Amino acid sequence: MHSNITNYYYINNEKEMKTAKLWGVCLMACMALNANAQQSWTADNGNGTFTNPLFYDEFSDPDIIRVGDDYYLAGTTMHTVPGLVILHSKDLVNWENVSYCFDRFDFADDRFALKNHQEIYGQGIWAPAIRYANGQFYVFSNINGKGLQCYTAKDIRGPWIHHNMQGNIYDLSVLFDDDGKIYAIHKYGEVHCTELKPDMSGPVEGSDRVIIPEGNGVGEGHHMYKINGMYYLISTDYSPNGRTLCSRSKSIWGPYETRVISADETYGYSGVGRTVVPRGAKYRIGEDGTRFGVSPASPDATGCDNAHQGGIVQAKNGSWWALLMQDFHSIGRTVCLMPITWEDGWPMIGLKGNLGRAPRTWYKPDTVEGCYGIGEEAQPIRAPYDRSDDFNYSKNLKSKTLNLKPIWQWNHNPDDKMWSLKGGRLRIQSQPAEQLMWARNTLTQRVIGPKSIATVELYVKGMKDGDVAGLGNINIPCSWIGLVKQGGSITLRAFEQMTNDTVSVPVKLTDGKVYLRCIGDYDHNQMQYAYSVDGKEFKTLGRMMPLTYQLISFQGSRHALFSFNMKGVKGGFAEFDNFTVEEPMADRSKNIPYGKTIRIINKATNRPAIALKHGMLYDTHAGDKSRLTMFKVIDRGQGRVALQCADGRYVKVYGKGLPGDVRFTTDSEEAEVFLWQDYLEHDFMLLSLTSHKYLGKSPTTGSPYSMDFVGPDPARRNGAVLHWEE
């Protein structure tokens, strides 16, 4: 088998069939080696394919490089610390968090520490550019009000050296050119290029020039590359809606020509409502959430939620890939891995025959010759983070800031004198704050989708009058469930800022602790709190709350462990233990109904497919459960399937996939082989490995099923997204 899976699938079906048995053996071995791989979401399907998103939690503004056999991905962290996250991978699919560029913002500025009612929500550090040159790593990024920053290290794990370069350069890309000069490409619409000093002390005075004038439809989020002597600039634009662009020139200074290389790829996810608030910091994060509003999102519009800003990289086998972010509901922005096809010298996202769109499930970039997952080069299936935490840390760790697992980040700089690890628990001292968004020393981690349940034990012995402690959602609007101590009594309370409402119940704690839980359905933008006094029986508190994604903090939903005092004084302390995250949908091993007989329901019409005796694949009325609506899913290896009707005929595509070209054959060797696209909860698409388009049926024209759909629409009602029932 060729090691380049992407190219391998252009060969004939006969050879594919011969290798399927080998892959079946390899898959069993992979599953044995990775028995616990699907406890947390990972894109790796264990059979040589992956399914987007790479991470089902927030990772914004991705920038990617390859150094030898290793890939490094840097992302935005905004106002949270540690800052500027870096992940490492050997195969572009399985990632591990290996570093942050800094532990704390090193500015003597109250805004970075939530002090004196000052904050940097939606600011901080964002849109990094990671590069490797001169034997070291460089990460460039902007900090609001502080200008351009650079972090350098010989080892990706650090230590990192901070260079405050200042200058009005943001949302940038950096190119180390062949002549030794270093260029920063930046700004929106009117694209600028500025030379940087080699010692990272700042921009070269007088070097700033416009390289792409306004009026050329180019946006921001630039990623510059020099490939075969040509300069390529990957950018994203939002006006009038989201598109990914490529501009190219023979000179860094231009002139550039520009093409759209991707548009409208939402993977069948519509936008989520945005939080709208009045201007002014007081109401931006203030107590009265009734001043907030939620702007509705059209289920049919791509808007700016589609896959956009990100970098490209050449894999070890020579193939090219894009890692773009997508606004993914209330989770925030996630990363998708997309194959690139070079056409006429342009890096078009997608596959031959369907450029501009990209499959949700596709073949992994790098494979071991003969069989992925076996051999010394095999990469273990893994999630980038270990989300659960019992806070039992080794005592020999030298630095307090490194004691916590890398999944955790503080909301702004914490006061390190006001938190500790005591007896296997996290202790947070209570400081004055009128509500959660102003509470210092709030420890956070990103929520993970599509569904997850986070639970933590809260100990109350150290709480004093006016203290509030619990489990919250750092978002705008925020919410929380926790305990409130007033005088000598403790009350359990759920607070929702969107409605400025509280629900309180008396609680009796026999052993001084309570179990708090957040139940999140993030694909459907909702969550609910629950509690238990014994860790076994949980009761919900408050309503099922709607969630949004908003551009105020520029972050999605975040779990938060907090303790503050609402009476304006330093209070006592709260202790947290056994934070656990369960992901009921992480194991996707049974999502493809291999060997089962199913009915195929079109999401656009809610009508089942039927194999007409006339020879066409059509649809029928919802109540039809005849034999001709029943199809057996035949496993052809590596996520590929064939469909056999209950009367013995197999689905086959004739011609190029125009209406009328999806018919049947009685020869199993002629059956069409599709790559199953898993959309979770029994939703799926079928991708042709010949045309790289999808099976579907128009809900309006009356045409039979065809093989000419380029992808799903955001609402999944253009006829290409299907649903199976057994």
Side-chain angles (χ1 to χ4, degrees), residues 57-59 73-78 80-87 96-104 125 139 151-153 155-161 384-385 401-402 404-410 443-446 558:
D57 60 342
E58 186 170 63
F59 195 100
L73 186 67
T76 285
T77 50
M78 302 305 291
T80 54
V81 292
L84 288 186
V85 61
I86 298 176
L87 306 184
E96 177 186 11
N97 179 205
V98 294
S99 188
Y100 288 95
C101 287
F102 59 91
D103 290 327
R104 304 288 187 265
I125 195 160
V139 179
Y151 300 85
T152 58
D155 188 314
I156 195 68
R157 292 169 175 79
W160 292 86
I161 300 173
Y385 304 100
T401 58
L402 298 180
L404 298 172
K405 287 185 176 181
I407 184 64
W408 293 111
Q409 290 176 289
W410 298 99
L443 189 63
T444 75
Q445 65 167 264
R446 298 169 294 280
R558 281 180 166 254

Side-chain angles (χ1 to χ4, degrees), residues 704-722:
Y705 274 85
S706 62
M707 205 71 221
D708 58 352
F709 284 75
V710 298
D713 66 332
R716 305 188 187 184
R717 53 191 183 199
N718 68 336
V721 182
L722 311 172

Side-chain angles (χ1 to χ4, degrees), residues 408-722:
W408 293 111
Q409 290 176 289
W410 298 99
N411 179 20
H412 293 65
N413 280 352
D415 181 344
D416 284 323
K417 296 179 181 179
M418 301 295 287
W419 73 274
S420 59
L421 295 167
K422 298 281 189 179
R425 299 176 190 168
L426 169 71
R427 177 179 292 188
I428 300 178
Q429 302 286 147
S430 179
Q431 299 181 69
E434 62 263 39
Q435 61 110 314
L436 174 59
M437 298 298 285
W438 288 110
R440 298 195 65 195
N441 283 22
T442 296
L443 189 63
T444 75
Q445 65 167 264
R446 298 169 294 280
V447 302
I448 184 166
K451 297 178 180 179
S452 59
I453 302 167
T455 307
V456 69
E457 298 173 17
L458 169 62
Y459 289 80
V460 303
K461 182 179 179 181
M463 293 179 67
K464 294 183 178 180
D465 184 36
D467 282 355
V468 183
L471 172 66
N473 176 24
I474 289 284
N475 204 331
I476 298 178
C478 68
S479 64
W480 53 262
I481 184 173
L483 295 175
V484 179
K485 186 163 187 178
Q486 294 177 304
S489 65
I490 288 183
T491 302
L492 185 70
R493 179 175 297 172
F495 169 74
E496 182 183 358
Q497 191 181 18
M498 181 178 289
T499 57
N500 200 32
D501 190 26
T502 60
V503 179
S504 300
V505 295
V507 61
K508 184 177 181 180
L509 306 179
T510 56
D511 55 0
K513 70 176 178 179
V514 65
Y515 299 81
L516 305 177
R517 174 169 287 180
C518 172
I519 305 165
D521 182 358
Y522 301 106
D523 261 11
H524 297 98
N525 304 305
Q526 57 185 7
M527 59 165 283
Q528 188 167 37
Y529 289 119
Y531 71 97
S532 172
V533 295
D534 59 8
K536 299 177 182 179
E537 180 184 355
F538 281 82
K539 299 178 181 179
T540 60
L541 189 65
R543 66 168 180 158
M544 180 70 77
M545 296 173 290
L547 298 173
T548 69
Y549 176 64
Q550 36 71 38
L551 303 183
I552 303 165
S553 68
F554 273 95
Q555 286 187 337
S557 296
R558 281 180 166 254
H559 297 306
L561 305 181
F562 67 89
S563 177
F564 65 89
N565 188 282
M566 61 183 176
K567 293 191 173 182
V569 299
K570 289 185 179 180
F573 61 85
E575 291 186 329
F576 300 88
D577 200 1
N578 296 323
F579 182 89
T580 61
V581 178
E582 302 171 71
E583 301 176 46
M585 297 180 67
D587 185 357
R588 306 190 307 281
S589 61
K590 298 180 181 179
N591 285 16
I592 303 178
Y594 294 124
K596 294 182 178 180
T597 298
I598 64 173
R599 297 172 80 231
I600 298 173
I601 313 298
N602 196 295
K603 293 278 287 186
T605 61
N606 202 34
R607 294 161 66 97
I610 186 171
L612 295 179
K613 293 182 178 179
H614 182 58
M616 314 303 295
L617 184 65
Y618 201 59
D619 64 4
T620 183
H621 61 86
D624 189 346
K625 295 187 178 181
S626 65
R627 293 179 68 245
L628 297 186
T629 67
M630 300 178 185
F631 298 87
K632 185 176 182 180
V633 179
I634 301 173
D635 183 3
R636 291 293 171 88
Q638 297 166 274
R640 299 170 302 158
V641 301
L643 298 177
Q644 183 183 25
C645 182
D647 67 358
R649 292 179 295 164
Y650 297 86
V651 173
K652 181 181 178 181
V653 177
Y654 294 80
K656 295 293 183 181
L658 298 174
D661 276 359
V662 179
R663 301 199 291 275
F664 294 88
T665 178
T666 56
D667 186 348
S668 64
E669 295 295 320
E670 294 182 354
E672 191 73 21
V673 177
F674 303 100
L675 184 63
W676 187 282
Q677 306 286 297
D678 182 17
Y679 276 72
L680 308 180
E681 298 186 291
H682 288 204
D683 284 2
F684 70 102
M685 294 177 65
L686 294 173
L687 174 67
S688 167
L689 291 168
T690 303
S691 67
H692 298 133
K693 292 185 178 178
Y694 301 91
L695 181 76
K697 184 189 183 304
S698 168
T700 57
T701 64
S703 297
Y705 274 85
S706 62
M707 205 71 221
D708 58 352
F709 284 75
V710 298
D713 66 332
R716 305 188 187 184
R717 53 191 183 199
N718 68 336
V721 182
L722 311 172

Side-chain angles (χ1 to χ4, degrees), residues 245-287:
L245 310 160
C246 179
S247 305
R248 71 179 187 182
S249 174
K250 294 181 179 180
S251 168
I252 188 76
W253 306 110
Y256 286 83
E257 56 178 331
T258 299
R259 286 191 183 181
V260 175
I261 61 173
S262 180
D264 296 331
E265 187 54 81
T266 66
Y267 289 115
Y269 286 83
S270 57
V272 63
R274 304 281 198 200
T275 303
V276 180
V277 298
R279 294 181 180 179
K282 179 179 179 181
Y283 301 122
R284 230 172 62 169
I285 60 172
E287 182 74 26

Side-chain angles (χ1 to χ4, degrees), residues 190-215:
E190 182 180 84
V191 183
H192 287 238
C193 180
T194 303
E195 188 178 349
L196 302 179
K197 296 178 181 178
D199 63 358
M200 300 297 120
S201 60
V204 174
E205 292 80 0
S207 66
D208 183 82
R209 288 170 57 180
V210 175
I211 60 173
I212 301 179
E214 175 62 73

